[in-house]
């Protein structure tokens, strides 16, 4: 009886007190919030029931259920509709051999979980991929990638630096539904309008702890409870979590990762580079509101289909912060033998400091090295992995795993063979280095054969890629500001270089690196 009542409420507070469960029902979430925030006695129903085990995956769409224990909040539940459709699947019990029904995919607002409702089933999944696999296995029906992120919040913030102590100066967010901007919010106090286009919060007052702005932001994301998408999302997330704008459980997706999976052979994935590569118009502004609109245009042009959430350890037992990860690692030290006798090498960036992960690996019985060799048992890969280490691991047949594999074993105290994560295959869609000489996707262009090319106006990392490509094309490559007798100059987009001005005077053909990137990929 109680379970049925919970599932039919529009919104409610459910308070477990001893052997009793008290319910306070509301017509909607707004009335519930008004009761909590202002003490308005606007409930629509009250009830008292004998305690029974409850589930909350069948509650109404858009209903907010707050679970309390002796008056203290222990959990919140709310599901929003992400997609509904017609599912046709094989059914031998039906005369036609097929059965048709309406399915609904719902996103749980207060966690990263997904809910799939079909017929009399309401199933929960921790990831979209798990849900997709289940539906494909059970019904031979592919619900596709994560809805191509049809509903999302595009986010950008301006800060005074790279550490949380550098504070927040501007926040901008766009609510997106089916490819359209349905609402926007910009938060910031301008103190010097002449400086606001310089970026890094210049010209704005600090709003890190501004309760009024935090409240406006939280009201906006309550109205549009969609996952966040940001460029280099872990950066924005750490500031907003630190200053209490969002909870640690907020779901974040990184547009860098999504675009990298769709276009794995670009020379760079900075917002400025991608804007030039896709030919998107962008002014000189470097404010959060301008950048978030640029991100909207970029996603419309790039159309990435593979979205993976930023990794979060299961909230059931642990928080996702580095501190809790360290605490867990210290508890395992001397007790866990998960990696006993194994030699591990880490590569690439991670949400947790590499030094911390190395210390925990040692605490779990491993030895840690800086380079891959015959003694290496595992290569653990984060973002922007090192080319040399990957190539060496492939050469020596060293198993490669993503960070999630290592983190799961530490958090869940698993044996290595118990982890569900599979080794990375060099041929799959994992974000291997953008350029591997033995499997290059780049076209060799005849127009550069026998030509002399100056690449001095490129960043060093990009220089090495471009140099190798040009030399394979038969070009002579120089990287000197004094080299003026050349046929071509390839330069960083939007860079201000005296050498570039001189090249135009000397009638040297100049090519922005984003265009060169497109040329070698498309064979222009």
């Amino acid at each position: 009886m109680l379970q049925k009542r919970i599932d039919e409420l529009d919104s409610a507070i459910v308070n477990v007190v001893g052997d009793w469960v008290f319910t306070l029902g509301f017509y909607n979430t707004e009335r519930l919030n008004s009761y909590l925030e202002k003490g308005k006695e606007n409930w629509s129903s009250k009830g008292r029931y004998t305690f029974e085990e409850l589930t909350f995956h069948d509650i109404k769409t858009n209903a907010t259920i707050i679970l309390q224990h002796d008056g203290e909040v222990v959990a919140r539940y709310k599901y929003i509709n992400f997609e509904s459709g017609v599912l046709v699947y094989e059914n031998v019990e039906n005369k036609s051999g097929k059965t048709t029904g309406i399915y609904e995919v719902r996103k749980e607002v207060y966690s990263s979980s997904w809910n799939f409702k079909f017929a009399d089933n309401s199933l929960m999944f921790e990831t979209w991929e798990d849900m997709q696999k289940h539906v494909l296995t059970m019904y031979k029906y592919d619900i596709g990638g994560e809805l191509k992120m049809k509903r999302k919040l595009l986010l950008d913030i301006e800060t005074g630096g790279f550490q949380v102590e550098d504070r927040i100066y501007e926040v901008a967010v766009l609510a997106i539904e089916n490819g359209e901007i349905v609402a926007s919010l910009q938060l910031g106090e301008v103190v010097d309008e002449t400086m606001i286009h310089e970026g890094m919060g210049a010209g704005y007052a600090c709003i890190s702890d501004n309760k009024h702005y935090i409240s406006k932001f939280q009201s906006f994301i309550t109205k549009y409870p969609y996952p966040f998408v940001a460029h280099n999302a872990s950066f924005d997330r750490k500031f907003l979590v630190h200053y209490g704008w969002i909870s640690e459980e907020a779901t974040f997706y990184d547009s860098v990762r999504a675009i990298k999976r769709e276009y794995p052979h670009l020379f760079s994935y900075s917002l400025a580079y991608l804007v030039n590569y896709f030919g998107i118009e962008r002014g000189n502004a470097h404010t959060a509101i301008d950048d978030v609109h640029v991100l909207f245009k970029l996603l419309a042009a790039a159309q990435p289909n593979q979205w993976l959430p930023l990794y979060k350890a299961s909230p059931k037992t642990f928080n996702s912060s580095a501190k809790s990860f360290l605490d867990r690692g210290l508890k395992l030290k001397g007790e866990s033998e998960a990696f006993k006798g194994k030699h591990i090498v880490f590569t690439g960036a991670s949400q947790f400091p590499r030094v911390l992960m190395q210390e925990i690996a040692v605490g779990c019985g491993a030895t840690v090295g800086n380079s891959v060799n015959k003694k290496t048992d595992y290569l653990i890969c984060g973002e922007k992995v090192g080319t040399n280490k990957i190539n060496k691991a492939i050469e020596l047949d060293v198993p490669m795993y993503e960070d999630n594999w290592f983190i799961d074993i530490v958090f869940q105290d698993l044996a290595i063979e118990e982890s569900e994560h599979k080794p990375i295959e060099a041929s799959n869609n994992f974000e291997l280095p953008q350029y591997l000489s033995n499997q290059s996707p780049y076209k060799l262009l005849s127009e550069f054969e026998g030509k002399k090319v100056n690449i001095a106006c490129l960043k060093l990392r990009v220089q090495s890629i471009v140099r190798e490509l040009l030399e394979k094309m038969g070009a002579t490559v120089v990287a000197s500001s004094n080299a003026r007798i050349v046929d071509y100059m390839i330069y960083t987009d939007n860079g201000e270089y005296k050498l570039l001005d001189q090249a135009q005077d000397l009638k040297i053909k100049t090519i922005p690196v984003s265009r060169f990137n497109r040329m070698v990929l498309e064979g222009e």
Side-chain angles (χ1 to χ4, degrees), residues 432-448:
L432 291 173
Q434 302 139 18
Y435 179 69
L436 293 178
S437 58
N438 61 344
Q439 51 186 44
S440 172
Y442 305 117
K443 311 292 190 303
L444 301 182
L445 307 175
S446 59
E447 72 172 274
F448 293 99

Side-chain angles (χ1 to χ4, degrees), residues 417-437:
E417 60 274 9
E418 293 176 329
S419 175
E420 295 180 357
H421 294 279
K422 304 300 181 185
I424 297 162
E425 299 292 339
S427 59
N428 72 6
N429 289 327
F430 175 71
E431 298 159 20
L432 291 173
Q434 302 139 18
Y435 179 69
L436 293 178
S437 58

Side-chain angles (χ1 to χ4, degrees), residues 15-22 49-52 69-70:
N15 187 19
V16 179
V17 181
D19 294 330
W20 295 99
V21 178
F22 298 88
Y49 302 85
T50 304
F51 175 81
E52 63 182 74
H69 184 75
D70 292 333

Side-chain angles (χ1 to χ4, degrees), residues 232-446:
N232 291 317
S234 59
F235 177 85
D236 300 70
R237 179 184 178 275
K238 74 177 180 181
F239 276 84
L240 294 175
V241 169
H242 180 80
Y243 289 106
W245 290 59
I246 60 172
S247 76
E248 286 198 10
E249 302 310 318
T251 302
F252 268 78
Y253 294 83
D254 192 344
S255 53
V256 174
R257 295 182 68 186
I259 293 173
K260 189 180 290 187
R261 285 176 173 269
E262 199 75 22
Y263 302 87
H265 301 291
L266 302 187
F267 298 159
S268 173
Y269 294 88
S270 70
L271 188 61
Y273 185 88
L274 293 171
V275 162
N276 287 307
Y277 182 86
F278 288 101
I280 297 168
E281 291 188 10
R282 183 187 190 186
N284 295 321
H286 293 287
T287 61
I289 191 64
D290 289 315
D291 283 349
V292 80
H293 277 280
V294 168
L295 178 59
F296 172 72
K297 295 176 183 177
L298 173 61
L299 294 179
Q303 292 290 311
N305 286 314
Q306 298 185 59
W307 292 91
L308 296 177
L310 293 188
Y311 181 81
K312 293 185 300 182
S314 173
K316 296 175 183 176
T317 310
F318 304 103
N319 294 322
S320 58
S321 66
K323 182 180 184 300
S324 63
F325 187 53
L326 174 61
D327 291 342
R328 178 59 174 161
L330 293 176
K331 289 178 182 177
L332 290 175
K333 191 170 183 178
E335 298 179 9
S336 173
E337 296 185 346
F339 298 108
K340 184 178 181 180
K342 303 298 182 182
H343 187 71
I344 297 175
V345 175
F346 294 88
T347 185
S350 172
Q351 65 166 315
F352 299 115
R354 280 297 183 218
V355 173
L356 174 58
M357 296 182 79
Q358 291 170 351
E359 289 180 359
I360 289 175
V362 171
C364 293
T367 57
V368 176
N370 293 319
S371 59
V372 177
N373 53 45
K374 293 180 179 179
K375 296 180 180 179
T376 306
D377 293 291
Y378 305 111
L379 176 63
I380 312 300
C381 304
E383 301 283 348
K384 300 178 182 178
V385 293
T387 305
N388 293 336
K389 289 179 181 177
I390 291 289
N391 285 336
K392 196 66 176 178
I394 293 172
E395 176 188 335
L396 297 176
D397 200 25
V398 173
M400 297 181 289
Y401 288 90
E402 295 187 50
D403 273 351
N404 294 7
W405 175 78
F406 178 84
I407 293 169
D408 272 355
I409 289 173
V410 171
F411 267 98
Q412 300 180 34
D413 202 13
L414 300 176
I416 289 174
E417 60 274 9
E418 293 176 329
S419 175
E420 295 180 357
H421 294 279
K422 304 300 181 185
I424 297 162
E425 299 292 339
S427 59
N428 72 6
N429 289 327
F430 175 71
E431 298 159 20
L432 291 173
Q434 302 139 18
Y435 179 69
L436 293 178
S437 58
N438 61 344
Q439 51 186 44
S440 172
Y442 305 117
K443 311 292 190 303
L444 301 182
L445 307 175
S446 59

Side-chain angles (χ1 to χ4, degrees), residues 43 72 125 160 203 239-240 327 349 367 451 476 487 494:
W43 57 81
E72 296 292 328
F125 300 90
F239 276 84
L240 294 175
D327 291 342
T367 57
K451 304 298 183 180
T476 300
D487 300 292
N494 304 327

